[in-house]
Amino acid sequence: MHAALQNAETVPPEEMSVDQALHYAVGLQRQQCLDAAETIYRRVLQLLPDHPDAQHYLGLLHFQRGRNEAAVALLEQAIARSPDFADFHSNLGNVQLALGRLAAAETSYRQAIHLDPARADFHNNLGVLQRVAGQDEAAEAEFWRAIALDAKHFRAYNNLGMLHAARDDIKSAVQYYCQSITLRPEHPDSHKLLGLAYYSTGQLAEAAEVFRQWLEK
């Protein structure tokens, strides 16, 4: 990868290699500087049209912007170039799930797990899909697999809470939400879900306190 980007308004003035430019663009994307990041990804793809990382990151950027069909096309291109990279399959599954393509998303998630079975987030993602599909027992098993792989996986605890809340098992849901908050106290979703659980059982004072904490996040 000896090609370089020069004189782009969104990169420092010194010459950058493609790898450096992509690293820089990912940082911009994480800071929600999406226009700047997109400019860099497109310049990379002008130089190297089949660059799988640039396709992948631009696909994720399209997903962030709700351009889901464009995201699918780019992620599929990235997979065609690098079929053994598990993150590509998992992220394609995320977009397919957002589009309601449950069978396709399941195929993508299972391929990601096949390639890297020790990734907790892949099991959590599959569990989310199964919960959406009404496969509650299978979903719960995947959430626990995620936790077995990463005991600090707060999202899996949140998902267990939502699963039990849907069954009207609010006591268990509260326990899982509280565990999630213990693991990631700064994350607002856990507070919101816990507050809703308290509210649904008439524990209004508890709900009000949790919502106050949520609004402060």
Side-chain angles (χ1 to χ4, degrees):
M1 301 182 185
H2 301 295
L5 297 181
Q6 295 176 297
N7 302 320
E9 294 180 357
T10 52
V11 299
E14 68 270 15
E15 182 177 289
M16 264 189 178
S17 72
V18 166
D19 286 346
Q20 290 169 333
L22 286 176
H23 180 76
Y24 184 75
V26 169
L28 290 171
Q29 188 171 354
R30 288 172 178 165
Q31 297 170 42
Q32 298 300 309
C33 300
L34 301 186
D35 288 341
E38 183 169 352
T39 296
I40 296 172
Y41 295 142
R42 291 193 180 280
R43 290 177 71 88
V44 170
L45 289 170
Q46 285 177 354
L47 288 168
L48 300 169
D50 294 334
H51 196 292
D53 288 332
Q55 292 168 334
H56 174 235
Y57 291 130
L58 183 56
L60 292 182
L61 189 147
H62 282 316
F63 185 35
Q64 284 179 265
R65 288 183 146 165
R67 304 170 184 165
N68 292 342
E69 294 292 354
V72 166
L74 280 163
L75 290 167
E76 288 179 341
Q77 290 173 35
I79 288 169
R81 306 303 188 279
S82 296
D84 294 331
F85 198 68
D87 280 326
F88 291 2
H89 294 276
S90 181
N91 288 326
L92 176 59
N94 292 338
V95 183
Q96 290 165 328
L97 177 59
L99 287 166
R101 299 170 185 170
L102 302 190
E106 181 171 0
T107 298
S108 295
Y109 287 147
R110 290 194 182 279
Q111 181 62 17
I113 291 170
H114 171 73
L115 291 168
D116 192 352
R119 283 280 295 274
D121 52 325
F122 294 167
H123 291 278
N124 180 68
N125 289 344
L126 178 58
V128 169
L129 180 145
Q130 291 169 328
R131 179 169 61 81
V132 170
Q135 303 167 14
D136 287 0
E137 291 184 7
E140 184 158 8
E142 290 299 331
F143 296 144
W144 283 117
R145 288 189 185 100
I147 292 167
L149 291 165
D150 178 4
K152 296 182 179 181
H153 203 294
F154 75 99
R155 294 187 189 279
Y157 280 109
N158 267 349
N159 287 322
L160 282 168
M162 286 188 281
L163 195 63
H164 283 265
R167 298 171 178 167
D168 291 325
D169 181 5
I170 303 301
K171 181 178 179 180
S172 295
V174 165
Q175 291 175 342
Y176 292 131
Y177 295 147
C178 287
Q179 180 64 28
S180 180
I181 290 170
T182 298
L183 293 170
R184 190 66 65 87
E186 74 279 9
H187 198 272
D189 286 354
S190 304
H191 294 274
K192 177 180 71 173
L193 292 167
L194 178 60
L196 290 171
Y198 280 136
Y199 183 81
S200 71
T201 59
Q203 300 177 71
L204 302 186
E206 291 86 348
E209 174 60 19
V210 172
F211 285 138
R212 182 189 64 77
Q213 295 174 6
W214 171 42
L215 292 172
E216 292 176 353
K217 298 299 176 184

